[in-house]
Amino acid sequence: MRRLKGRLGLPLQALLLAFMLFAMFGPLLNLLIWTVAESWFYPHALPSQWGLKYWYQVFSPYSDVSGSLLTSVFIAVLSVLVCLIISIPAGYALSRRAMPLRVMFMLLFLLPQAFPNLTVYMNIARLFYQWGLNGTVAGVVLVHSVHGLMYSIWICVAAFSAIDPLQARASRNLGAGPLLTFWYIVLPQASPGIMAAGIFVFLESLDEFTGTFFVGAPDITTLPLLLYNASMSGNYQVSSITALILLVPSLLFMLVIHKCMRPEMLSKMGK
């Protein structure tokens, strides 16, 4: 019976592994095919004409992709700066267990995730229209920052919680003030976690569509908005190339996060 189970188990495991690989890489393979397909119509299983025509179109000087990419990166960088300016002191304060109402403050940063994004952004767009922030970079950055604070606050809290408090205490005993202790002892040790928080916010801002659509469009055009417009107009080649451009920094930064996120820091997440 054991041998029979073993014989049946190997094909089942191989079938499950093949299904998982297909589910993970099947859509990516379809995306890659569309990027080099110049003509692909039903009922053909593969493109009838291959080429790089749409790559030249996307990266031509007259294309909107380069401008949208620069706008997306600019907004993402500003969102990272806003989030880190708030998250570093807030994360350091919330990492202290003795802080009053600590759990309540941490849960407050989860509230944007507790409601449907569409409802939240529609109301934000109405308020921003009254305040003159609709269609501005500042309005889009504020929306992205509110959404990204959840990642940056919780990761920064975990990064500061992973630091041994005895090191800061020893620095204070040797005569260093609180600012010098934070700058030379605490901050360098928390920097991998802070870097990971910034990367998460950057990627979240770079891929954000709904908030940008309601607050920024049509004056602010980011790469996700351009992807949406291309796909809705049936230009699947341009939308696939745009999606691939958005995918590359995500993969690269995930490798950096894998190096920065230490096990002892992850164990402090949510504590």
Side-chain angles (χ1 to χ4, degrees):
M1 287 295 295
R2 290 181 179 176
R3 291 180 180 178
L4 182 61
K5 288 181 180 179
R7 290 175 183 176
L8 292 175
L10 287 176
L12 186 62
Q13 292 176 10
L15 184 63
L16 181 61
L17 180 62
F19 175 76
M20 291 177 61
L21 290 174
F22 177 77
M24 292 171 60
F25 296 105
L28 180 61
L29 180 61
N30 183 70
L31 178 73
L32 292 174
I33 293 175
W34 268 114
T35 60
V36 291
E38 292 188 3
S39 179
W40 192 4
F41 300 102
Y42 180 83
H44 299 288
L46 289 174
S48 55
Q49 186 176 356
W50 304 76
L52 300 176
K53 169 187 172 183
Y54 289 95
W55 282 92
Y56 294 123
Q57 181 179 328
V58 165
F59 289 102
S60 70
Y62 307 103
S63 173
D64 296 330
V65 173
S66 57
S68 301
L69 178 60
L70 290 175
T71 303
S72 297
V73 171
F74 180 66
I75 290 174
V77 170
L78 289 180
S79 301
V80 170
L81 292 175
V82 171
C83 287
L84 290 185
I85 288 172
I86 299 173
S87 300
I88 292 175
Y92 181 67
L94 291 171
S95 65
R96 307 279 79 88
R97 300 292 181 87
M99 180 181 177
L101 304 175
R102 174 178 177 269
V103 176
M104 187 192 75
F105 282 116
M106 291 189 66
L107 290 176
L108 282 176
F109 291 102
L110 293 177
L111 282 180
Q113 305 293 326
F115 302 98
N117 287 340
L118 189 61
T119 307
V120 173
Y121 289 140
M122 286 178 64
N123 286 277
I124 289 177
R126 181 177 61 84
L127 291 174
F128 278 16
Y129 181 78
Q130 296 175 356
W131 299 340
L133 290 173
N134 256 43
T136 64
V137 172
V140 177
V141 169
L142 284 175
V143 169
H144 288 197
S145 300
V146 170
H147 199 66
L149 274 175
M150 187 271 292
Y151 297 101
S152 58
I153 287 288
W154 279 71
I155 295 174
C156 285
V157 169
F160 286 117
S161 298
I163 300 172
D164 187 359
L166 294 178
Q167 297 185 20
R169 193 177 303 172
S171 174
R172 295 296 302 275
N173 289 336
L174 292 173
L179 291 178
L180 287 177
T181 299
F182 177 80
W183 185 259
Y184 290 104
I185 304 296
V186 178
L187 194 60
Q189 295 186 71
S191 57
I194 295 172
M195 185 188 303
I199 290 173
F200 270 108
V201 174
F202 182 87
L203 295 178
E204 180 70 21
S205 175
L206 195 66
D207 295 334
E208 176 60 40
F209 166 76
T210 312
T212 311
F213 180 78
F214 280 99
V215 175
D219 301 296
I220 305 298
T221 303
T222 59
L223 211 55
L225 285 179
L226 193 68
L227 189 155
Y228 172 77
N229 293 332
S231 60
M232 291 303 292
S233 62
N235 198 338
Y236 299 119
Q237 290 89 343
V238 173
S239 60
S240 299
I241 294 171
T242 307
L244 191 63
I245 294 172
L246 288 171
L247 181 64
V248 170
S250 300
L251 295 176
L252 294 177
F253 281 136
M254 283 301 153
L255 295 175
V256 177
I257 290 172
H258 178 70
K259 297 292 184 181
C260 293
M261 298 285 274
R262 297 169 295 176
E264 59 270 20
M265 190 189 80
L266 292 175
S267 66
K268 299 289 184 179
M269 192 77 75
K271 292 186 177 180

